[in-house]
Amino acid sequence: MEEIHQQLAEQLYEKNSRLTIDEARTWVELLWEDFESTRAKAGYDYKGKQVTEQIVIRWIENYGPKLHDYIATNPKYKDMLNKKGYEQ
């Protein structure tokens, strides 16, 4: 899992020059956790890390260049990122 998160962080880092590699890693971890917990809360069966990886890749492709702007509109992510030491 560590290797997958690192590869995804590198992809995000390439998409968004406003993030450091550590911030990109934090975003990947948060997106991963959020997707899996949201699916679980909705009552869906766990489909494995491959499904989660594909969703996070899709989010990186679609939203990666603007993720740094998302903090302002979503207090949930702002709080989670602040807990992980993310500086705005």
Side-chain angles (χ1 to χ4, degrees), residues 7-81:
Q7 289 171 349
L8 293 172
E10 289 169 9
Q11 287 177 21
L12 177 55
Y13 178 69
E14 289 175 14
K15 289 271 182 198
N16 190 327
S17 61
R18 301 222 19 217
L19 299 175
T20 67
I21 190 66
D22 291 333
E23 291 167 344
R25 175 64 184 250
T26 299
W27 269 108
V28 165
E29 291 170 357
L30 290 174
L31 292 170
W32 190 285
E33 291 169 13
D34 191 45
F35 175 74
E36 288 192 338
S37 66
T38 300
R39 276 187 66 85
K41 287 177 187 174
Y44 292 107
D45 291 334
Y46 180 67
K47 298 289 184 183
K49 64 182 179 183
Q50 295 83 6
V51 170
T52 304
E53 181 181 2
Q54 291 306 308
I55 294 298
V56 173
I57 287 170
R58 211 172 297 151
W59 287 347
I60 289 170
E61 290 297 317
N62 293 326
Y63 309 113
K66 298 288 185 187
L67 273 179
H68 62 279
D69 291 333
Y70 192 60
I71 295 170
T73 61
N74 192 318
K76 174 182 165 183
Y77 278 102
K78 183 176 183 176
D79 291 343
M80 289 191 304
L81 287 164

